[in-house]
Amino acid sequence: MKKKLAIVITLSKSHIHYCKALIASIEYFNPELEIIIIKDGDFNIEFLKDRKQVHVVDSREVNKLHGLDLYILLNKLNILFLPELGFDFETFLHIDADSIVTNTINNDELEGNDFIILQGNKINRDDEKSMNNLARYAFNPADFNEYVFNPEQLYYFSASHIAINKRIIPKLIEYLKIHRYELNKEFLNDKRIRFNDQGFLNLMVNYLSHIGEMKVKINDAGIYGKQSEKDFPKLTLQNVKNKVDTEVLFIHYTASSRKVTLRAHNFGEILDYFSKQFYGNNIVHNYEEFFRVVKHHKNKFLKKFRNKIKHLKNKI
């Protein structure tokens, strides 16, 4: 029987504590789903050894396969090569490591489409503010005379939360090879494609859907961690525990919403709950969290101290 859906997480060292909560939240709502983690960097993954549904792929191994140097801010594009590594799923759903799931993932809502946008929407081309955001964080249609786009509306979305059907993967790889050297591993705005994997996927979705080669669906199902709890009255710890529909599929904790401790975040009760669920032992969880917070403050102090010394040396 062909497997329908896999969850993909691209993981760097700085997001490990979020990723533990994310894995626990997926296991809670969808224990049947397999999770593929694309590990980017050198760090210990011993914490995953007892997770039978979790597979770890080192980004270096994927890059040996395709030779396209897809690391750091290009790492999500390694999803396109998972079938070549033997992961035979109909759909790959990517969730950023700094997120948690707060509702059941329904595969039926994903079927029949090549690309599903889980955090984004359509924008009108006469909306100057939205078009400026698209140009800044993805691509400017005026820079791509070789492509045609919808004259009235364009898709604009976060590449952090998407689902890709394997049918469209060969086409995306074809265009990735064309544009690879317009991409880089830093947030630079001196190229046509901005924000790397996000810019590339926004460009391809808009072009390929307009010429009829890609079927796209919008299911704007997530929220950002900086959004207010009062705006989502059903998104409570009690509803999450009871698996009551929260009307929110996931919370994405981008940089502007991150706090030192898990409970200090917006919806921190839920984030902290799933972190504890990962360990299955509150004592171990509290121990790990305590030393993570101590390390954070230590590193912050050392960084300020080094900067101060550097400043004083420059004055001499």
Side-chain angles (χ1 to χ4, degrees), residues 81-100:
F81 299 92
L82 290 177
E84 293 185 46
L85 291 174
F87 294 102
D88 188 20
F89 294 88
E90 287 295 315
T91 304
F92 297 92
L93 191 158
H94 183 271
I95 302 177
D96 248 16
D98 53 350
S99 307
I100 51 170

Side-chain angles (χ1 to χ4, degrees), residues 133-144:
N133 283 336
L134 178 71
R136 182 178 179 185
Y137 297 112
F139 75 101
N140 186 341
D143 291 337
F144 290 89

Side-chain angles (χ1 to χ4, degrees), residues 123 125 130-145 147-150 153-157 179 182-183 189 191-209:
I123 59 174
R125 294 192 68 165
S130 295
M131 290 299 293
N132 285 340
N133 283 336
L134 178 71
R136 182 178 179 185
Y137 297 112
F139 75 101
N140 186 341
D143 291 337
F144 290 89
N145 294 324
Y147 296 140
V148 289
F149 306 102
N150 188 302
Q153 290 186 316
L154 295 172
Y155 294 104
Y156 177 41
F157 58 92
H179 291 287
E182 292 191 77
L183 301 167
N189 283 329
K191 297 196 176 188
R192 295 196 301 171
I193 299 174
R194 282 75 185 251
F195 275 60
N196 307 297
D197 45 28
Q198 178 160 297
F200 172 75
L201 290 170
N202 272 266
L203 172 64
M204 288 297 102
V205 166
N206 278 290
Y207 170 59
L208 293 174
S209 64

Side-chain angles (χ1 to χ4, degrees), residues 71-90:
Y71 297 100
I72 313 173
L73 302 175
L74 300 174
N75 199 25
K76 288 188 196 72
L77 297 177
N78 282 315
I79 297 170
L80 304 178
F81 299 92
L82 290 177
E84 293 185 46
L85 291 174
F87 294 102
D88 188 20
F89 294 88
E90 287 295 315

Side-chain angles (χ1 to χ4, degrees), residues 207-272:
Y207 170 59
L208 293 174
S209 64
H210 184 59
I211 64 173
E213 293 194 18
M214 178 189 284
K215 188 175 180 181
V216 180
K217 179 181 179 180
I218 297 173
N219 181 15
D220 192 24
I223 65 170
Y224 290 98
K226 64 184 178 183
Q227 291 180 253
S228 174
E229 295 185 17
K230 65 180 177 58
D231 293 331
F232 302 92
K234 292 188 177 181
L235 187 52
T236 64
L237 178 58
Q238 198 60 40
N239 281 348
V240 165
K241 284 182 175 180
N242 294 329
K243 297 185 179 178
V244 174
D245 184 7
T246 62
E247 298 181 354
V248 174
L249 182 60
F250 59 85
I251 306 170
H252 184 194
Y253 289 101
T254 54
S256 61
S257 65
R258 294 175 198 150
K259 311 292 183 185
V260 178
T261 66
L262 296 179
R263 289 188 69 87
H265 289 68
N266 288 356
F267 311 98
E269 275 191 337
I270 303 172
L271 181 59
D272 187 64

